[in-house]
Amino acid sequence: MKEGEPNLYQKMKAGDLSAFDEIFNLYYEQLVWIAHSKIDNIAVAEDIVQQIFINFWAKRATLTVEHALFPYLKKSVHNRCIDYYKKQKTIQRKEIQYFQNPLSLNIATPEEKLLSEENLQAIYQKIEALPPKCRAVFKLSRFEEMTYAEIATHLEISKKTVEMHISTALRILRKSIFFLPFLLEVV
């Protein structure tokens, strides 16, 4: 350990808050700089380092640092940055999954599930209430995933008529449905 570190560390382990403050002031900026170089977001870097120090203080009684404090803290920053990236990757994957099909995600509570089922039921009722030709075109587009050209051929109508029916269906549904991106996105 650096000169004075063993003494500060031992005092901190014994519960001396001023020793902890000295360690914090000694290394905080360097650790934020290291985290910022890995994360490229100063606010997140500061949060990471602050959380490391919070845990460092909370676990002081059971913590064993056998070598210098700075390498220990630096390794903690490195590990937290990796955890941050893993968490961000998971969040991004879930966002992509949600935006591809929001109704496919697990719903946490029975109330939310009931609400979701009620919303889905309301959506299907709105679709069924569309004018017959408009409803047929919309269903072929959204549920059968047919292209406008395929729908036009299948129903023996022009591609422009298909576009008009889709536009009409979306306008009607948007007025009554607050959020349904997978059905209401424009193709």
Side-chain angles (χ1 to χ4, degrees):
M1 288 193 182
K2 271 181 162 178
E3 188 177 317
E5 269 189 358
N7 191 27
L8 282 175
Y9 176 66
Q10 290 306 321
K11 286 181 179 180
M12 185 202 73
K13 276 188 72 88
D16 185 344
L17 189 56
S18 64
F20 172 77
D21 286 342
E22 280 187 60
I23 294 169
F24 179 88
N25 291 329
L26 190 62
Y27 297 121
Y28 178 79
E29 286 184 27
Q30 290 174 293
L31 295 172
V32 168
W33 182 84
I34 290 167
H36 184 244
S37 71
K38 294 175 185 295
I39 301 291
D40 198 31
N41 181 324
I42 192 67
V44 172
E46 289 173 344
D47 287 345
I48 286 172
V49 174
Q50 288 170 7
Q51 192 60 49
I52 287 168
F53 275 108
I54 289 169
N55 289 342
F56 190 60
W57 174 254
K59 296 179 180 180
R60 69 189 178 280
T62 58
L63 195 64
T64 304
V65 178
E66 296 184 18
H67 303 291
L69 285 174
F70 184 73
Y72 173 85
L73 294 169
K74 183 178 174 184
K75 182 69 172 173
S76 296
V77 167
H78 175 77
N79 291 339
R80 285 288 175 116
C81 288
I82 290 171
D83 291 345
Y84 171 80
Y85 277 117
K86 285 179 183 176
K87 186 175 181 180
Q88 289 305 109
K89 195 171 187 175
T90 300
I91 290 169
Q92 287 174 346
R93 190 177 67 247
K94 288 187 178 195
E95 284 175 348
I96 289 168
Q97 181 185 2
Y98 177 78
F99 286 112
Q100 286 175 346
N101 187 358
L103 298 178
S104 72
L105 296 180
N106 291 334
I107 298 177
T109 65
E111 292 82 14
E112 289 174 327
K113 186 172 183 174
L114 179 61
L115 182 60
S116 176
E117 289 171 1
E118 288 173 357
N119 286 342
L120 192 55
Q121 203 58 22
I123 291 163
Y124 287 135
Q125 287 174 354
K126 296 295 182 186
I127 292 170
E128 291 303 318
L130 291 171
K133 198 69 153 183
C134 186
R135 178 178 60 237
V137 170
F138 185 80
K139 284 182 169 182
L140 290 173
S141 172
R142 295 310 192 262
F143 300 135
E144 302 297 323
E145 297 181 6
M146 294 174 74
T147 65
Y148 288 4
E150 291 170 335
I151 295 168
T153 302
H154 181 75
L155 295 178
E156 298 177 354
I157 56 177
S158 73
K159 190 175 170 186
K160 281 285 186 201
T161 303
V162 170
E163 291 172 7
M164 187 252 337
H165 282 306
I166 294 290
S167 177
T168 301
L170 291 175
R171 188 175 65 257
I172 292 168
L173 292 173
R174 280 189 183 120
K175 285 181 182 176
S176 58
I177 300 172
F178 62 94
F179 183 69
L180 193 60
F182 79 99
L183 283 179
L184 301 182
E185 62 190 27
V186 178
V187 179

